[in-house]
């Protein structure tokens, strides 16, 4: 799902991605802007058969597409659902109480993390989903967790057999998330 005006400015690049991936493009004209909630129209978190997001702020095409594919949209108060959570296997790592409650209600394991140590210039803190990415059984984090946080995180039962890579010696940094795709 791409905003129509963004597609107009990056059509060649998006068409190249579509040709390579076989994905279908869905254009949206949902209201957007630089100020919350107009900046969260495409911000949702997919975990298993559930799509978490602030449904009243998402592009209307997203919940419809989810339902067409047997995925249940779940409303949460957190508009930055895709940033506030990191899906690791069948679990979600998050500091957000709204996402935690909705996941728990659906039997999804939650790995509690603190967002206070995650840097995001101009804000009090960033999000775990904004500083990380997952590939198979490996987690990649932009920065380093404090030792005590890492110990709690790494020893969580939901992370058995998962390798954690901290990509720099700097504090955790919300870079917008790390997305990994097979070639």
């Amino acid at each position: 799902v791409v905003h129509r005006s963004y597609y107009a400015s990056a059509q060649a690049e998006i068409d190249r991605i579509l040709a390579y991936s076989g994905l279908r493009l869905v254009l949206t004209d949902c209201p957007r802007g630089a100020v919350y909630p107009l900046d969260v129209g495409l911000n949702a978190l997919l975990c298993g058969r559930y799509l978490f997001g602030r449904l009243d702020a998402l592009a209307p095409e997203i919940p419809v597409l989810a339902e067409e594919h047997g995925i249940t949209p779940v409303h949460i108060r957190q508009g930055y659902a895709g940033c506030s959570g990191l899906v690791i296997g069948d679990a979600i790592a998050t500091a957000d109480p709204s996402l935690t409650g909705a996941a728990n209600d659906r039997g999804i394991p939650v790995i509690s993390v603190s967002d206070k140590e995650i840097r995001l210039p101009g804000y009090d803190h960033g999000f775990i989903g904004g500083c990380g990415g997952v590939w198979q059984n490996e987690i990649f984090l932009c920065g380093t967790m404090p030792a005590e946080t890492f110990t709690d995180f790494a020893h969580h039962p939901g992370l058995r057999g998962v390798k954690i890579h901290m990509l720099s010696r700097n504090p955790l940094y919300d870079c917008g998330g790390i997305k990994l795709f097979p070639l």
Side-chain angles (χ1 to χ4, degrees):
V1 179
V2 175
H3 201 279
R4 188 177 311 278
S5 64
Y6 183 74
Y7 178 69
S9 68
Q11 183 173 351
E13 292 82 1
I14 293 171
D15 287 346
R16 196 168 32 247
I17 292 168
L18 295 171
Y20 173 77
S21 67
L23 294 172
R24 176 175 67 112
L25 176 65
V26 175
L27 297 175
T28 184
D29 292 311
C30 70
R32 63 187 180 93
V35 178
Y36 185 82
L38 293 177
D39 62 343
V40 299
L42 303 177
N43 201 315
L45 182 71
L46 179 63
C47 183
R49 305 307 295 162
Y50 296 101
L51 178 79
F52 297 94
R54 183 173 161 185
L55 299 181
D56 60 348
L58 280 179
E61 296 84 357
I62 293 175
V64 170
L65 287 167
E67 289 175 343
E68 286 174 5
H69 289 88
I71 297 167
T72 303
V74 178
H75 179 78
I76 62 172
R77 291 182 309 275
Q78 175 57 264
Y80 298 106
C83 298
S84 69
L86 184 63
V87 176
I88 305 166
D90 65 348
I92 299 174
T94 188
D96 184 74
S98 179
L99 181 54
T100 295
N104 284 334
D105 289 349
R106 284 149 187 87
I108 297 171
V110 174
I111 301 165
S112 294
V113 295
S114 172
D115 54 14
K116 294 182 183 1
E117 299 125 0
I118 301 172
R119 310 264 193 274
L120 182 57
Y123 297 90
D124 293 341
H125 62 82
F127 298 108
I128 189 71
C131 69
V134 177
W135 178 255
Q136 296 174 352
N137 65 339
E138 299 186 56
I139 301 170
F140 298 86
L141 296 172
C142 185
T144 300
M145 288 181 162
E148 67 279 357
T149 303
F150 176 75
T151 300
D152 292 344
F153 188 71
H155 289 94
H156 189 281
L159 295 179
R160 283 197 190 105
V162 174
K163 187 170 183 179
I164 302 170
H165 303 275
M166 292 183 264
L167 302 177
S168 83
R169 295 177 194 258
N170 297 321
L172 290 176
Y173 179 78
D174 188 331
C175 63
I178 301 171
K179 307 298 182 219
L180 303 162
F181 302 96
L183 294 176

